[in-house]
């Protein structure tokens, strides 16, 4: 067993790792130590991020990053087991998660070439991480032979790994193509595609989907955490009833832990109670707005997709039910996350700091804007005196260098920061 594998460690502070652990991780921990597990989790994240950035078909977030990351982390554990010569003699680089992710590519409408490209991109990151670790942890007189050994090992494993993934993809593709779900998913994909809705035969679509495309629609996207046992179909009706009782509903599985859904209503409708959307443990739900006809079916789904992207950008990803009409401004402001972050830095300055005092000042200033500059209402809401409110607001405005009468940019910056970086109290 190479001694350098015992010296592996992560670069980030210790975080919760439960979501990325499996039996291979426990073996790596037992044989190589906690540092090797943390290193593997970080490398798995780096691989997933690179694949998502480099494979064009994944840039629209058709495959959630966490779904991809579970596979890349599992593969990194297997690579460590092979390099360190631990585990069973028949251990291969391809874990069960590789076959699962291949199936996800099929169920989400991706192609075999997308999968093969992802493998090539990810393999390069994995190989570089292992070789860099050898150079860092071994003296030059020992590293050359070890670098050659690992390079040969990875080269030999690549063919088998690719074969496993491709075979799983083709098997799932055959089964998927034969099912009703495939026909529905293909039709829905055509409807959602830009300008394609004009070419859809609505009578034929109603027959395939068993769902009326005339009338009014609300679209939902729901997904669950990896360890959830919640039936996602069970959340659809309670959420739709926040508008009205649907006359019909359509639910389409998209991958193992996600669904797309629509509810049909005979007339335009609004929330029964906009502040009481139902919450479900281990489940995330994004809702679009009400839309009419086939174009409304499409637009409501695209709005739900936008809300889904917004939820996934939260640093503290907690189960939530979010409607587009509640976060329409955030959707627009965060369409370009990098530009939004730069905007926040310029507008808030030191007020964007992550310490409790800055969070307190941001919270008071945001509430002051939301409550139409009423000191009395802010004081009552935060259980502090009006003098304290005034002092906090003055401090906040001084820190961000705000001058002038217009607060539009400042309000926008506060909303962006609250979504991207806010503490649980601010959220």
């Amino acid at each position: 067993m190479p001694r350098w594998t015992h010296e592996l460690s992560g670069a980030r502070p210790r975080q919760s790792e439960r979501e990325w652990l499996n039996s291979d991780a426990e073996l790596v921990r037992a044989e190589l130590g906690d540092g090797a597990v943390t290193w593997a989790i970080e490398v798995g994240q780096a691989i997933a991020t690179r694949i998502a950035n480099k494979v064009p078909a994944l840039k629209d977030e058709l495959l959630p990053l966490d779904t991809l990351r579970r596979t890349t982390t599992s593969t990194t554990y297997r690579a460590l087991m092979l390099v360190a010569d631990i585990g069973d003699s028949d251990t291969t680089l391809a874990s069960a998660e590789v076959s699962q992710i291949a199936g996800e590519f099929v169920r989400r409408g991706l192609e075999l070439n997308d999968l093969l490209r992802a493998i090539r991109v990810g393999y390069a990151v994995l190989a570089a991480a292992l070789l860099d670790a050898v150079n860092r942890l071994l003296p030059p007189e020992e590293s050359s032979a070890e670098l050659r050994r690992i390079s040969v090992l990875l080269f030999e494993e690549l063919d088998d790994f690719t074969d496993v993934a491709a075979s799983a993809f083709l098997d799932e593709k055959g089964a998927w193509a034969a099912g009703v779900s495939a026909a529905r998913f293909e039709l829905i994909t055509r409807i959602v595609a830009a300008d394609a809705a004009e070419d859809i035969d609505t009578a034929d679509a109603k027959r395939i989907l068993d769902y009326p495309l005339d009338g009014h629609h609300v679209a939902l996207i729901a997904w669950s955490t990896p360890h959830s046992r919640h039936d996602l179909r069970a959340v659809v009706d309670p959420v739709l009833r926040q508008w009205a009782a649907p006359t019909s509903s359509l639910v389409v599985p998209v991958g193992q832990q996600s669904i797309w859904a629509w509810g049909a209503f005979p007339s335009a409708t609004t929330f029964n109670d906009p502040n009481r959307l139902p919450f479900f443990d281990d489940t995330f739900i994004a809702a679009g707005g009400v839309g009419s006809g086939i174009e409304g079916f499409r637009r409501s789904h695209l709005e739900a997709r936008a809300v889904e992207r917004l939820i996934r950008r939260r640093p503290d990803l907690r189960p939530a039910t979010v409607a587009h009409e509640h976060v329409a401004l955030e959707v627009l402001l965060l369409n370009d996350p990098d530009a939004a972050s730069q905007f926040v830095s310029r507008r808030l300055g030191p007020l964007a700091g992550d310490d409790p005092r800055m969070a307190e000042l941001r919270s008071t200033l945001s509430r002051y804007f939301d409550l139409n500059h009423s000191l009395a209402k802010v004081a009552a809401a935060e259980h502090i005196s009006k003098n304290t409110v005034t002092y906090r607001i003055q401090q906040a405005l001084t820190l961000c260098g705000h001058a002038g009468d217009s607060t539009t940019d400042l309000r926008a910056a506060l909303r962006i920061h609250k979504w991207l970086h806010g503490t649980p109290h601010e959220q």
Side-chain angles (χ1 to χ4, degrees):
M1 184 185 301
R3 73 172 189 276
W4 64 268
T5 54
H6 291 271
E7 299 173 22
L8 290 169
S9 61
R12 67 181 187 183
R14 186 67 181 271
Q15 301 176 17
S16 173
E17 299 173 344
R18 177 175 177 267
E19 187 171 352
W20 317 112
L21 300 180
N22 58 20
S23 59
D24 289 342
E26 297 307 322
L27 177 60
V28 169
R29 190 190 305 279
E31 296 287 343
L32 305 180
D34 289 341
V37 172
T38 301
W39 179 88
I41 291 172
E42 291 182 15
V43 172
Q45 182 177 13
I47 295 171
T49 301
R50 179 69 64 84
I51 290 173
N53 289 334
K54 290 294 185 180
V55 179
L58 299 183
K59 288 186 177 180
D60 290 333
E61 302 182 61
L62 287 175
L63 187 68
L65 186 63
D66 285 354
T67 301
L68 182 60
R69 186 179 168 192
R70 275 187 288 279
T71 301
T72 57
T73 303
S74 175
T75 301
T76 306
Y77 292 140
R78 284 296 181 93
L80 270 183
M81 291 165 62
L82 291 168
V83 167
D85 194 21
I86 59 178
D88 298 333
S89 59
D90 59 350
T91 296
T92 66
L93 189 63
S95 62
E97 285 84 352
V98 172
S99 295
Q100 292 170 6
I101 200 70
E104 288 284 338
F105 270 62
V106 173
R107 291 186 287 272
R108 293 177 184 272
L110 298 167
E111 300 297 332
L112 179 58
N113 281 340
D114 298 323
L115 176 63
L116 297 178
R117 175 77 187 280
I119 290 172
R120 291 193 297 270
V121 171
Y123 215 74
V125 179
L126 174 61
L130 286 166
L131 299 180
D132 287 346
V134 170
N135 278 325
R136 186 175 70 254
L137 298 174
L138 285 181
E141 62 272 13
E142 297 180 28
S143 62
S144 296
E146 184 67 358
L147 290 171
R148 182 180 183 281
R149 182 183 75 87
I150 292 174
S151 298
V152 171
L153 175 62
L154 291 176
F155 184 78
E156 291 173 344
E157 287 290 331
L158 178 57
D159 277 348
D160 287 341
F161 183 91
T162 303
D163 284 346
V164 169
S167 295
F169 179 96
L170 294 173
D171 289 345
E172 182 67 25
K173 185 85 170 179
W176 177 257
V180 173
S181 293
R184 289 182 172 180
F185 185 77
E186 181 181 359
L187 176 57
I188 288 170
T189 302
R190 287 176 54 208
I191 294 173
V192 170
D195 302 324
E198 299 175 0
D199 303 324
I200 301 296
D201 182 326
T202 54
D204 191 46
K206 180 178 180 180
R207 177 185 60 80
I208 294 172
L209 299 177
D210 192 24
Y211 177 88
L213 289 175
D214 50 359
H216 303 274
H217 314 276
V218 171
L220 306 178
I221 295 175
W223 67 100
S224 60
T225 58
H227 305 288
S228 173
R229 295 184 179 180
H230 199 1
D231 180 3
L232 287 175
R233 293 174 181 271
V235 310
V236 173
D237 190 66
V239 175
L240 291 176
R241 285 180 179 274
Q242 298 306 305
W243 283 267
T247 56
S248 182
S249 61
L250 170 64
V251 180
V252 179
V254 183
Q256 291 183 325
Q257 293 173 318
S258 179
I259 60 171
W260 292 351
W262 287 261
F265 304 92
S267 60
T269 183
T270 58
F271 276 131
N272 286 330
D273 187 344
N275 296 314
R276 294 185 62 83
L277 279 171
F279 171 86
F280 303 90
D281 290 338
D282 301 326
T283 302
F284 303 83
I285 304 168
V290 179
S292 300
I294 193 168
E295 177 57 27
F297 179 95
R298 170 182 177 271
R299 180 170 52 80
S300 186
H301 175 73
L302 293 177
E303 289 176 349
R305 289 261 290 268
V307 175
E308 178 189 9
R309 288 193 293 271
L310 195 67
I311 293 173
R312 290 185 183 279
R313 285 179 182 137
R314 271 186 164 167
D316 182 15
L317 195 59
R318 292 167 292 154
T321 304
V322 181
H324 184 270
E325 56 195 271
H326 288 167
V327 293
L329 179 58
E330 282 81 357
V331 167
L332 292 173
L333 293 173
L334 286 162
N335 188 50
D336 184 339
D338 291 337
S341 293
Q342 293 172 13
F343 176 81
V344 168
S345 297
R346 288 195 300 269
R347 292 297 181 272
L348 296 189
L351 188 61
D354 59 3
D355 58 284
R357 179 57 178 168
M358 294 302 102
E360 182 179 69
L361 294 178
R362 287 193 303 270
S363 177
T364 299
L365 184 59
S366 294
R367 185 169 276 122
Y368 177 69
F369 289 148
D370 291 342
L371 295 177
N372 296 317
H373 298 200
S374 170
L375 296 175
K377 290 180 180 179
V378 175
E382 299 201 349
H383 307 290
I384 55 178
S385 70
K386 288 197 292 185
N387 286 341
T388 301
V389 173
T390 301
Y391 177 70
R392 287 183 184 178
I393 291 169
Q394 289 174 344
Q395 271 200 312
L397 294 176
T398 300
L399 284 167
C400 65
H402 178 73
D405 296 329
S406 176
T407 60
T408 302
D409 282 3
L410 185 53
R411 289 179 184 224
L414 287 167
R415 291 185 73 155
I416 294 171
H417 187 282
K418 179 180 178 180
W419 194 274
L420 287 180
H421 310 291
T423 64
H425 172 71
E426 290 179 284
Q427 299 286 8

